[in-house]
Amino acid sequence: MASSGRIAALAAAALMLQGAAEATTCEENFQTVGDARNGLLFATSVIVADLKVASGLAQLRTIARAAGYEPGGDMVQAGIGELSLLQTSNRPPLVIRATVASGGEVSLGLKLAQGQRARPEDVREEFCSMLGKLRGGRAADALAAAEDADRANAVVDARAEALSAEVGNDVKSTLKPVASKGNFSRWLIGTGPVATDADFNAAFAPIRAKYVGRKYRIDGQIYTVSRNDVTGEMDINYLVTPTRGLARIRQEAQYNNLNFQIKCVLAKDQAKLFATLSNGDFVKLAGQVTNIYPGGMQLEQCRQSQ
């Protein structure tokens, strides 16, 4: 199965294609890359004058919903905002990756799965229609903020073990067709259908689109507390073993790693909190999902919450 690093790299591949510097319009910037048998990559970009990152992301969410897409959570790092737009009417679902840079450059990218087909001219028309609705300036900022404030700032409250079960089951369900592909054939002489990296990444892309960028306020018990000696990163791994029965007896902690992991990386200003925590303590932390993989997910910039 593909590594989480490879998943992240492939999921971000569309974001790396930027429009030619001399091109000025969405249509001129549009690119079709790759071999259609592997699933083409489509990308384009525009520059919107006086467009702030937050406003661009908010406008894209509104535009995407009107076009039938489900926007994921957004992340802003180093002046660049990222957003996934999911279309579940296709199998596997289509995931458009959007970026908004501080200079007003907005990019859209779509990587088709192996076997999926789309006419470049149709994708170009869809992309350019969406990007053509973006506006810059204070009026656009105010309108976007008013329409999007509640959705953008939503923080989901969750118990660690319940969140582990919910997301873990979603991951298993989504990957089931890939995970089971070729299992029986391995016991037979000859060859049979076996899931490839391309199959896995196409199946997992909607999970990344759905969860990366989401904000959670997680309450629970700590499984491990650790600090990276090189980076200084302060990590909290929640105890996610389930409780069962009327007595709510928890499964032994030694089985924690058999469940979907929930890891919180504390913000640097939480050093004093970190110094007070030990394995087995309880803590409520708020943070944003920055990575998800088949066995767990990671939140960053986590801070103590009430």
Side-chain angles (χ1 to χ4, degrees):
M1 190 167 285
S3 67
S4 61
R6 177 166 172 72
I7 295 167
L10 289 174
L15 306 180
M16 299 174 64
L17 286 175
Q18 301 296 324
E22 64 273 13
T24 58
T25 70
C26 173
E27 289 78 9
E28 291 173 326
N29 284 337
F30 187 81
Q31 301 176 61
T32 301
V33 181
D35 188 313
R37 294 170 297 181
N38 302 326
L40 292 172
L41 172 63
F42 304 105
T44 192
S45 63
V46 295
I47 294 179
V48 181
D50 198 18
L51 177 68
K52 294 183 175 64
V53 172
S55 174
L57 292 172
Q59 290 184 63
L60 281 172
R61 278 191 289 270
T62 300
I63 293 166
R65 291 189 192 100
Y69 294 91
E70 299 175 17
D74 60 66
M75 290 195 301
V76 180
Q77 296 177 324
I80 297 178
E82 299 182 14
L83 174 68
S84 294
L85 312 175
L86 184 64
Q87 189 179 75
T88 57
S89 58
N90 291 276
R91 287 293 179 270
L94 297 180
V95 178
I96 295 176
R97 299 284 291 172
T99 63
V100 183
S102 55
E105 183 174 11
V106 185
S107 303
L108 296 180
L110 167 65
K111 174 65 170 69
L112 296 180
Q114 194 173 73
Q116 283 185 324
R117 298 285 187 270
R119 297 195 309 168
E121 55 268 33
D122 292 337
V123 178
R124 181 177 63 237
E125 181 179 356
E126 176 85 342
F127 278 12
C128 294
S129 173
M130 295 172 70
L131 293 176
K133 295 179 173 66
L134 292 170
R135 297 291 181 267
R138 292 184 178 179
D141 295 343
L143 181 61
E147 291 181 350
D148 202 64
D150 290 341
R151 296 177 187 264
N153 296 319
V155 179
V156 180
D157 286 293
R159 293 285 304 176
E161 62 272 20
L163 182 62
S164 167
E166 176 187 343
V167 182
N169 288 336
D170 195 5
V171 170
K172 288 179 182 177
S173 176
T174 301
L175 293 181
K176 186 175 181 180
V178 176
S180 62
K181 189 175 181 180
N183 281 349
F184 181 69
S185 68
R186 292 173 188 152
W187 298 96
L188 303 177
I189 296 174
T191 59
V194 178
T196 65
D197 281 356
D199 292 330
F200 176 81
N201 286 300
F204 202 75
I207 288 291
R208 288 189 55 81
K210 183 176 180 179
Y211 289 103
V212 171
R214 280 193 180 184
K215 299 173 183 176
Y216 288 99
R217 186 182 296 108
I218 304 172
D219 192 12
Q221 194 171 7
I222 297 172
Y223 179 51
T224 61
V225 177
S226 62
R227 183 193 289 270
N228 187 305
D229 292 334
V230 177
T231 64
E233 185 178 275
M234 300 172 287
D235 297 336
I236 302 295
N237 282 285
Y238 277 101
L239 186 63
V240 292
T241 52
T243 54
R244 296 185 174 92
L246 294 176
R248 307 301 293 169
I249 298 173
R250 183 185 290 279
Q251 184 184 36
E252 292 181 24
Q254 68 189 51
Y255 296 108
N256 197 71
N257 291 340
L258 299 179
N259 299 277
F260 189 83
Q261 301 294 291
I262 305 293
K263 174 183 175 180
C264 252
V265 180
L266 295 182
K268 291 182 178 180
D269 60 13
Q270 299 294 291
K272 289 183 179 178
L273 171 66
F274 179 79
T276 71
L277 298 176
S278 301
N279 299 352
D281 285 350
F282 290 86
V283 68
K284 183 186 289 188
L285 299 171
Q288 185 174 39
V289 179
T290 58
N291 195 13
I292 187 168
Y293 38 95
M297 67 182 188
Q298 176 171 303
L299 296 87
E300 294 188 10
Q301 293 300 306
C302 294
R303 290 180 168 84
Q304 185 174 20
S305 184
Q306 301 300 323

